[in-house]
């Protein structure tokens, strides 16, 4: 626990189905008002963890605390949470107003309080004109707003989102992503959000928990996750286009060597291992500088005369505002992101330089960041 008040605490959580362990000794503290994203590929355990917090799954061992109360064996309705699922799960025969009020009526709230909560949620989510419509008359984005509103009217402290935007098209996902971020800034409730979409994670989260095989690989703010990935998995999972992973070893001069080429590591933001260490140099496309091979000494992307690693452009991939150039260096593929109106062409020899302070170096055996 930190000095900041903890909203949700997961302590030594284990979940197993027979001999198959899904979550193993998992610990996670979420601060009051924090927006945390559980990110990872399918089968990593992120939705399972969310369902454990919600009380939808009985855990094998460990504890779950919400607002200072041990809720490990409490029913979902008694945990003080609101949940938004991937499917909208709206009652088709009810209007939007009916869907929003259904749970409140069952809880026995007085009608004036119900109307007050519905009006507040409808205003926040901008669905006032939709209150008398039925779900069949709504778009996918409108239905998901109603689903969020149904959680919002419960007036809870913790909101759980299980891939709420995955059924929407790209434009709607982008719009609702902004709305969810605005909603959090307005309410300041604790929000736990599950997704496999790294863009959602990077844009929404205060902190991201990158998961793999039931374990949290790294828990940090988006900038740290992106710029200083803890291991090869995180580095490869975060970033689009993906980080280039160059295989080599550390030479006697403390440089990164691969197939006769040497990359000085001066300025690297980490520990350079001893000579002979098998390593992987991770370079993001935007951290690659490129110049024509015909440039004279000192005109290339390196820091001194004659700097620059020889490469050849294989593919030019236009991406609208910029382009992605795919090349081969020392027999390994590498990409560089540059301006869309660049002068380079397929088959052209070029020279490359790396922004070493922003690169990542990994031990090839342990796959951990150095």
């Amino acid at each position: 626990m930190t000095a900041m008040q903890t909203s949700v605490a997961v302590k030594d959580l284990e979940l197993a189905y027979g001999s198959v362990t899904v979550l193993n000794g998992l610990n996670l503290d979420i601060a009051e008002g924090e927006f945390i994203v559980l990110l990872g590929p399918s089968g990593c355990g992120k939705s399972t963890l969310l369902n454990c917090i919600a009380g939808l799954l009985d855990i094998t061992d460990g504890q779950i605390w919400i607002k200072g109360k041990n809720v490990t064996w409490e029913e979902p309705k008694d945990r003080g949470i609101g949940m938004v699922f991937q499917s909208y799960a709206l009652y088709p025969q009810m209007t939007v107003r009916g869907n929003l009020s259904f749970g409140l009526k069952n809880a026995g709230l007085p009608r004036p309080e119900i109307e007050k909560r519905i009006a507040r949620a409808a205003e926040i989510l901008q669905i006032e004109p939709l209150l008398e419509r039925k779900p069949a008359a709504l778009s996918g984005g409108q239905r998901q707003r109603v689903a969020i509103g149904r959680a919002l009217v419960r007036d809870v402290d913790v909101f759980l989102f299980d891939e709420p935007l995955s059924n929407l098209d790209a434009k709607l996902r982008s719009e609702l992503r902004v709305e969810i971020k605005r909603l959090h800034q307005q309410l300041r409730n604790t929000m736990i959000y599950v997704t496999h979409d790294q863009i959602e994670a990077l844009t929404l989260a205060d902190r991201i928990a990158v998961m793999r095989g039931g374990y949290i690989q790294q828990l940090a703010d988006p900038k740290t996750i992106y710029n200083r990935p803890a291991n090869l998995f995180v580095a490869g999972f975060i970033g689009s286009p993906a980080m280039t992973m160059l295989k080599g070893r550390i030479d006697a001069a403390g440089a990164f060597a691969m197939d006769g080429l040497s990359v000085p590591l001066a300025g690297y933001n980490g520990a350079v291992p001893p000579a002979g260490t098998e390593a992987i140099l991770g370079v993001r496309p935007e951290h690659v500088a490129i110049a024509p091979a015909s440039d004279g000494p000192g005109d290339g992307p390196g820091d001194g005369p004659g700097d620059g690693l020889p490469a050849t452009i294989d593919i030019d991939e236009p991406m609208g505002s910029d382009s992605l150039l795919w090349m081969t260096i020392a027999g390994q593929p590498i990409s560089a992101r540059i301006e869309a109106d660049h002068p380079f062409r397929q088959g052209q020899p070029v020279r490359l330089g790396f922004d070493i302070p922003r690169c990542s170096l990994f031990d090839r055996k342990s796959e951990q960041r150095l």
Side-chain angles (χ1 to χ4, degrees):
M1 302 278 186
T2 63
M4 185 178 296
Q5 185 177 358
T6 300
S7 177
V8 178
V10 178
K11 302 180 180 181
D12 300 318
L13 180 64
E14 293 189 10
L15 180 68
Y17 298 107
S19 61
V20 179
T21 300
V22 181
L23 301 174
N24 189 3
L26 193 145
N27 289 277
L28 178 63
D29 282 354
I30 301 171
E32 184 72 39
E34 187 174 22
F35 197 128
I36 195 159
V37 173
L38 307 179
L39 174 68
S42 297
C44 72
K46 56 188 186 296
S47 289
T48 301
L49 174 56
L50 194 78
N51 288 330
C52 289
I53 295 172
L56 300 177
L57 291 174
D58 290 335
I59 65 176
T60 306
D61 199 3
Q63 296 180 344
I64 296 170
W65 292 67
I66 297 178
K67 300 291 289 184
K69 178 185 177 184
N70 188 344
V71 299
T72 306
W73 304 113
E74 297 279 354
E75 293 294 325
K77 64 182 178 61
D78 299 322
R79 296 194 177 201
I81 59 169
M83 192 160 185
V84 181
F85 298 94
Q86 179 177 342
S87 60
Y88 316 125
L90 302 177
Y91 296 108
Q93 74 277 17
M94 294 183 182
T95 62
V96 169
R97 186 186 299 277
N99 272 278
L100 294 178
S101 65
F102 183 77
L104 302 180
K105 289 178 179 177
N106 286 345
L109 265 68
R111 185 175 182 83
E113 178 64 19
I114 292 175
E115 291 301 324
K116 178 183 176 182
R117 292 191 185 188
I118 290 176
R120 175 174 174 268
E123 180 183 3
I124 291 173
L125 296 169
Q126 301 177 16
I127 56 174
E128 296 105 320
L130 311 178
L131 288 175
E132 305 310 321
R133 294 190 193 178
K134 291 185 176 180
L138 304 178
S139 68
Q142 290 170 336
R143 292 179 193 179
Q144 195 57 284
R145 285 174 190 264
V146 176
I148 294 172
R150 190 171 51 194
L152 192 58
V153 295
R154 292 199 60 209
D155 196 24
V156 295
D157 297 307
V158 180
F159 289 101
L160 309 180
F161 294 87
D162 190 5
E163 304 207 45
L165 309 184
S166 60
N167 287 339
L168 306 177
D169 61 41
K171 184 174 184 296
L172 273 177
R173 281 203 306 271
S174 178
E175 291 174 357
L176 272 184
R177 194 168 66 230
V178 174
E179 292 301 320
I180 290 174
K181 191 174 185 75
R182 184 178 290 117
L183 180 67
H184 179 251
Q185 291 175 344
Q186 183 174 350
L187 300 177
R188 301 313 302 179
N189 292 66
T190 303
M191 294 187 177
I192 308 174
Y193 189 104
V194 164
T195 185
H196 62 272
D197 187 324
Q198 58 172 295
I199 301 301
E200 286 182 23
L202 291 169
T203 55
L204 288 173
D206 293 322
R207 286 191 300 163
I208 300 172
V210 182
M211 296 186 64
R212 180 191 189 189
Y215 292 90
I216 294 177
Q217 301 289 304
Q218 186 172 6
L219 175 62
D221 63 273
K223 287 185 178 179
T224 299
I225 292 280
Y226 187 81
N227 293 318
R228 293 182 61 83
N231 55 41
L232 272 181
F233 173 78
V234 176
F237 192 79
I238 297 290
S240 181
M243 176 184 285
T244 295
M245 304 294 186
L246 299 172
K247 296 180 180 179
R249 67 173 59 206
I250 305 302
D251 64 16
F256 180 79
M258 50 178 178
D259 196 21
L261 300 180
S262 181
V263 181
L265 296 176
Y268 175 66
N269 190 12
V272 177
T277 301
E278 298 285 332
I280 292 176
L281 182 65
V283 188
R284 296 206 179 277
E286 62 268 28
H287 300 155
V288 177
I290 182 171
S294 57
D295 282 355
D299 295 331
D303 294 327
D307 283 345
L309 305 169
T312 302
I313 296 176
D314 300 321
I315 297 174
D316 178 3
E317 187 178 0
M319 302 180 69
S321 60
D322 51 27
S323 287
L324 198 66
L325 297 183
W326 290 91
M327 297 154 286
T328 301
I329 180 171
Q332 303 183 61
I334 186 172
S335 61
R337 173 177 263 160
I338 63 173
E339 294 182 356
D341 58 349
H342 64 83
F344 303 103
R345 64 186 184 280
Q346 185 176 347
Q348 180 179 356
V350 292
R351 291 192 296 154
L352 306 181
F354 304 148
D355 186 352
I356 293 299
R358 302 175 75 177
C359 292
S360 297
L361 199 62
F362 304 96
D363 183 277
R364 206 190 297 192
K365 292 181 180 179
S366 69
E367 299 190 350
Q368 297 300 305
R369 181 184 181 88
L370 295 167

